Amino acid sequence: MTTTIFWFRNDLRLHDQVALQAAMGARRLLPVVCTPGMDTPTAWGFARMGRHRRAWWASAVRHLARALQTAGSQLLVLDEPPATALPALAHAVGADGVVCEDIAAPDEQAEVAAVRAAGLPVLTIWHSSLFDPAQLPWPLQQLPDSFTHFRQAVEQTGLTPAAPLPPVGRLAPWPRGVPDSVLEAQRRTWARLSAIAPAADARSAFPYLQSGLHAGESAARAHLARYLASDLPARHKRARNGLAGQGYSSKWSPWLATGALSPRKALEQLRRYEAVHGASEGTRCLWLELLWRDHLRFLHLRHGPALYRARGLAHAPTPTHQPERFAAWCAGRTGQPLADAGMRELAATGYLGNRLRQIVASFLVHDLACEWRAGAAWFEHQLLDYDVYSNQGNWIFLASRRTHPRARRRFDPARQAGRYDPDGHYRQLWGTA
């Protein structure tokens, strides 16, 4: 290719950038990002991106732009749908095509299909998982739906992810001919993104955009190094069900979600930690969490849009929905103290620990009898570490709508409070005790 557009999606980094490496042969390269429809409404009456996701994403884009400048390039931010923005841009600069990350979720697949339908070739590259799908011991259509069976096969066959790629070096220059109207629109977009500020809350378990916790890959790698320089990895199994504070989990997910941190880089550094300090139950839990993340991605490659049906993958009746109960759940005003505390933390901070995510999701589906996809959409709106694969996969799991679901995966919130918040500290913190 003579001129290539590289479209950053959920891979806002320069290290371990398989897709960007595939575009490096171009004589001229134009890196772009399309703002992700921040005000696009869901079927449930609210925007897909709330203030926390907007602030975190905007920070990631700003830091990606700085990294690209260091590599001798620039980032062009397009504030319109890819289906119209990319073909028009390609025509203006004489680009031969687009290279981008492959994302196996329906809306993201539809974006690529629309660009292709407009006549612009798009090369998609899969690189969001530890393992390449071709490494797996089965064809994708035979992928186990059970994580246990998946894990056992991966470990028994001794699969090892490829080493992460080093950061890209100097990038090819921009092409000539970027329209002045596009550059002017970008200036307005940058001003809008710069105005998106975090909603600071001193109670936050992840005080993003404070104390160096910006969304770029430099902060991701610094956080990873700090975490692995502490005793937290060895204590992870005991601490991972914590409810409050910054030390109860790895907090890798916000950077993994935007792609500012590659999972292969995280695993590489974890293995180096184990080589010095020894493996432990805690480091094994971290490995399994990364592997669970892979499994949810591969389930999307196998099942695709079926994961987004009301019945999911199961032969189950259409779920009920209670709009008033759902609104109370979103606001943290159902009257159930632990669930309400969790939903208030989510609204105030854009973050919620894994234990509480399971508790509030179970409460919505199994106690309030609401549609699980509404809950998934609310998490998409709120979570700064929203990841389409993990969000949909975990919700379908909690709603017992997998192909071979267990009995209802209900978490009794009163029992959970007795076990994980016995002194009521968390509920007091969020005003529900």
Side-chain angles (χ1 to χ4, degrees):
M1 289 185 179
T2 302
T3 298
T4 296
I5 295 172
F6 185 80
W7 174 18
F8 283 97
R9 304 181 83 193
N10 291 340
D11 54 350
L12 306 183
R13 65 177 184 272
L14 298 186
H15 76 276
D16 201 22
Q17 245 294 1
V18 182
L20 184 54
Q21 291 282 359
M24 292 287 280
R27 293 180 59 191
R28 295 189 178 274
L29 185 67
L30 182 53
V32 306
V33 67
C34 297
T35 58
M38 295 180 181
D39 297 318
T40 301
T42 68
W44 313 98
F46 46 83
R48 293 184 67 168
M49 288 187 79
R51 56 179 179 166
H52 302 295
R53 274 192 67 205
R54 292 177 190 225
W56 186 250
W57 185 86
S59 173
V61 169
R62 288 194 294 269
H63 285 86
L64 174 64
R66 293 172 192 168
L68 286 168
Q69 286 181 333
T70 302
S73 186
Q74 300 177 63
L75 181 66
L76 183 61
V77 183
L78 303 172
D79 194 16
E80 58 179 299
T84 54
L86 295 179
L89 182 63
H91 177 74
V93 303
D96 305 294
V98 174
V99 177
C100 67
E101 176 191 13
D102 188 12
I103 304 175
D107 288 350
E108 288 78 1
Q109 290 284 303
E111 283 185 329
V112 171
V115 175
R116 287 172 173 156
L120 182 60
V122 182
L123 172 64
T124 58
I125 307 287
W126 179 270
H127 69 168
S128 69
S129 54
L130 291 172
F131 296 102
D132 187 284
Q135 288 183 270
L136 298 178
W138 341 258
L140 281 170
Q141 291 309 309
Q142 297 176 19
L143 178 84
D145 287 327
S146 160
F147 174 69
T148 298
H149 294 155
F150 172 79
R151 172 189 61 77
Q152 289 172 341
V154 167
E155 294 187 323
Q156 288 169 4
T157 54
L159 287 185
T160 302
L165 299 175
V168 297
R170 298 290 292 181
L171 294 174
W174 264 29
R176 300 180 182 87
V178 178
D180 290 341
S181 59
V182 172
L183 297 175
E184 178 57 34
Q186 172 170 256
R187 283 189 281 272
R188 294 193 298 270
T189 301
W190 274 126
R192 185 163 67 91
L193 293 179
S194 298
I196 299 175
D201 193 301
R203 299 167 292 179
S204 177
F206 186 78
Y208 69 98
L209 308 192
Q210 302 175 45
S211 305
L213 296 179
H214 66 72
E217 66 179 307
S218 61
R221 297 180 71 169
H223 172 77
L224 181 64
R226 282 194 304 270
Y227 180 79
L228 294 174
S230 72
D231 65 346
L232 291 174
R235 296 195 291 112
H236 179 65
K237 184 174 183 178
R238 300 189 301 275
R240 61 180 176 161
N241 287 313
L243 305 186
Q246 297 181 38
Y248 66 78
S249 69
S250 70
K251 304 297 193 297
W252 297 349
S253 61
W255 289 286
L256 287 169
T258 60
L261 175 63
S262 153
R264 298 196 303 192
K265 173 58 70 173
L267 182 62
E268 176 195 64
Q269 297 303 304
L270 178 63
R271 296 305 189 214
R272 290 182 180 179
Y273 171 93
E274 290 181 322
V276 174
H277 302 283
S280 65
E281 288 186 334
T283 59
R284 177 162 176 76
C285 280
L286 290 164
W287 150 248
L288 292 179
E289 287 165 10
L290 289 172
L291 196 58
W292 173 263
R293 181 178 178 275
D294 260 29
H295 187 233
L296 296 178
R297 279 161 163 68
F298 298 142
L299 283 177
H300 272 72
L301 285 173
R302 177 178 178 185
H303 295 292
L307 292 165
Y308 295 75
R309 299 182 304 202
R311 66 180 178 89
L313 303 178
H315 295 288
T318 301
T320 59
H321 190 59
Q322 311 291 334
E324 292 183 0
R325 293 182 185 180
F326 176 67
W329 177 81
C330 293
R333 299 189 181 280
T334 68
Q336 208 302 312
L338 184 59
D340 285 350
M343 296 307 294
R344 292 181 189 185
E345 180 188 6
L346 177 61
T349 72
Y351 189 82
L352 200 60
N354 183 63
R355 172 59 51 177
L356 275 164
R357 294 188 197 197
Q358 295 181 76
I359 292 168
V360 300
S362 166
F363 185 67
L364 178 73
V365 172
H366 300 301
D367 292 74
L368 298 181
C370 289
E371 158 76 90
W372 67 275
R373 294 179 304 171
W378 187 247
F379 271 25
E380 178 183 0
H381 172 85
Q382 291 282 24
L383 286 170
L384 59 92
D385 65 350
Y386 167 75
D387 170 87
V388 62
Y389 302 110
S390 297
N391 191 61
Q392 199 73 12
N394 283 317
W395 270 94
I396 205 171
F397 185 69
L398 262 296
S400 300
R401 291 179 181 267
R402 300 278 287 273
T403 50
H404 300 290
R406 301 179 185 178
R408 287 197 318 156
R409 295 190 59 82
R410 178 179 180 270
F411 289 71
D412 184 317
R415 291 183 62 186
Q416 295 287 312
R419 183 172 182 181
Y420 297 107
D421 190 34
D423 60 0
H425 169 72
Y426 180 78
R427 283 163 287 172
Q428 291 174 0
L429 187 65
W430 295 100
T432 64

